[in-house]
Amino acid sequence: MDLKGRNFLTLKDFTPDEIRYLIDLAADYKEKKKKGILTDTLRGKNVALIFEKTSTRTRCAFEVGAHDLGMGTTYLDPSGSQIGKKESIADTARVLGGMFDGIEYRGFGQEIVEDLAKYAGVPVWNGLTNEYHPTQILADMLTIKEEFGKLEGLKFVYMGDARYNMGNSLMIGCAKLGLDFVACAPEKYFPNKELIEICKGYAKESGATLTFEPDVKKATEGANVIYTDVWVSMGEPDEVWEERIKDLSPYRVTSEVMNNAADNCIFLHCLPSFHDLNTGIGKQIYEKYGLTEMEVTDEVFESKASRVFEEAENRMHTIKAVMAATLGA
């Protein structure tokens, strides 16, 4: 399958077969890495990594993946470029497009990465925007496929705030790949209706179902995958914490929730996670609200059902596949 020259901005732009191809390619790269087989077929190429939001997994995945493919990387942190400040997105894109073979962007509005792609003339990859996080979904799907040997027909439950990048992208991925997607949250935290309608079209083609259920017990019954994310995303004001804690505490992933799911249910989380008091933010939340755990209990996070660290590793393998496929490795 030829994806050379394509941008990777949202899974809406890719067919189910193309997404499955990237997942399978990632699995192949993973197997080769485990066996020590070199895959440095892109020697001489260079990529720019723009991070307006800081990152652990995404940055490391792009850097290690690029180096494994033989490429050089240049990391531009929030203070390391003039993008959108002294220089327009269009001008930045054309400058970087003349120097680099590919550009990754992690930051704010989807329109920024779309503008980069419009003007760069080289493949642009979305490392996270407010609206979408497509590389994460590839890693999630690879992890699920490794566990169950398939994707189609599995019941996937996302618990928490489903209005933004993770809820949006997981709904798209499930709808395209045939997983039965359930958003479990208060109604005001469901994805927007326009995107739901788009995903209904994908689901009709794949045989998937979309369900939006505020009742935790109904939503999680028989689930194969239970997924959650932090309740407050990077860049949101501190004032939203109190509202989210009040609204979403009933949607914490607990052992009771996992016991209501299928016997083979796994737990996933895109990380970082506030499952204990071993982070600065976790300690602040405890001091202010008395919570020792937030979106998931430590018991579940550290349980045999948890696949969060396998999932984190798979970020690198799937991102490597995206870069290789779009650069023509």
Side-chain angles (χ1 to χ4, degrees):
M1 187 169 290
D2 185 9
L3 301 180
K4 187 175 181 179
R6 294 273 296 275
N7 299 307
F8 190 76
L9 309 180
T10 166
L11 291 182
K12 291 191 294 183
D13 299 335
F14 289 79
T15 68
D17 283 344
E18 288 170 338
I19 298 170
R20 282 189 283 265
Y21 167 76
L22 289 170
I23 294 168
D24 291 343
L25 181 60
D28 182 59
Y29 274 119
K30 183 174 183 177
E31 182 181 4
K32 286 176 178 173
K33 188 171 180 70
K34 300 295 183 185
K35 292 179 177 177
I37 300 171
L38 294 179
T39 56
D40 52 345
T41 55
L42 292 175
R43 287 190 301 273
K45 293 187 181 293
N46 294 279
V47 295
L49 308 177
I50 303 172
F51 279 77
E52 292 195 296
K53 287 185 178 180
T54 55
S55 165
T56 300
R57 278 151 300 281
T58 303
R59 177 182 177 179
C60 292
F62 269 101
E63 289 195 339
V64 175
H67 294 159
D68 281 357
L69 291 168
M71 297 192 291
T73 62
T74 298
Y75 174 76
L76 300 170
D77 67 16
S79 62
S81 76
Q82 301 297 341
I83 185 169
K85 302 169 209 157
K86 291 184 179 179
E87 189 166 57
S88 70
I89 306 299
D91 289 357
T92 300
R94 287 177 285 187
V95 168
L96 296 180
M99 299 181 183
F100 293 94
D101 299 283
I103 301 168
E104 179 271 352
Y105 173 82
R106 178 184 177 93
F108 298 96
Q110 181 73 9
E111 69 278 1
I112 298 173
V113 76
E114 299 278 354
D115 279 350
L116 282 171
K118 181 178 179 180
Y119 293 103
V122 297
V124 172
W125 311 298
N126 180 359
L128 176 142
T129 61
N130 294 340
E131 294 85 358
Y132 301 110
H133 198 2
T135 61
Q136 177 67 53
I137 277 56
L138 290 183
D140 299 336
M141 295 302 166
L142 175 58
T143 308
I144 295 167
K145 190 172 182 182
E146 288 174 335
E147 183 71 24
F148 297 100
K150 65 173 186 175
L151 295 171
E152 295 82 359
L154 297 175
K155 182 176 180 179
F156 183 107
V157 180
Y158 180 82
M159 297 183 66
D161 191 345
R163 299 172 296 175
Y164 301 120
N165 45 37
M166 284 310 304
N168 290 344
S169 296
L170 286 167
M171 180 171 64
I172 295 167
C174 287
K176 287 207 168 200
L177 296 174
L179 293 86
D180 295 330
F181 176 82
V182 182
C184 180
E187 187 172 347
K188 71 178 184 179
Y189 291 97
F190 291 162
N192 75 69
K193 292 180 180 179
E194 181 182 354
L195 184 59
I196 289 173
E197 289 305 311
I198 291 172
C199 287
K200 283 181 179 178
Y202 302 149
K204 187 176 181 181
E205 293 291 324
S206 71
T209 61
L210 304 179
T211 305
F212 305 92
E213 177 56 68
D215 186 281
V216 173
K217 191 168 184 180
K218 288 181 182 178
T220 59
E221 185 175 4
N224 302 111
V225 181
I226 291 180
Y227 198 116
T228 194
D229 189 11
V230 294
W231 292 339
V232 179
S233 299
M234 289 184 293
E236 293 191 271
D238 292 342
E239 305 85 74
V240 305
W241 277 106
E242 186 170 358
E243 179 187 14
R244 300 281 173 81
I245 288 170
K246 178 183 176 183
D247 290 345
L248 296 176
S249 287
Y251 297 88
R252 178 181 291 119
V253 181
T254 64
S255 58
E256 290 77 18
V257 168
M258 296 300 292
N259 289 337
N260 190 51
D263 291 340
N264 63 354
C265 184
I266 61 171
F267 170 73
L268 297 179
H269 192 306
C270 54
L271 303 180
S273 169
F274 300 128
H275 59 97
D276 55 27
L277 298 180
N278 294 329
T279 63
I281 292 177
K283 290 174 183 175
Q284 292 173 20
I285 295 302
Y286 173 71
E287 290 168 2
K288 194 166 184 179
Y289 301 104
L291 293 177
T292 58
E293 305 160 310
M294 291 193 63
E295 73 279 0
V296 59
T297 64
D298 192 58
E299 181 181 19
V300 171
F301 188 89
E302 299 290 356
S303 72
K304 291 181 179 179
S306 179
R307 299 291 182 273
V308 297
F309 297 111
E310 291 88 345
E311 177 188 12
E313 179 193 333
N314 283 339
R315 292 296 311 285
M316 187 266 290
H317 303 298
T318 46
I319 281 171
K320 188 191 296 186
V322 169
M323 290 191 291
T326 55
L327 293 176

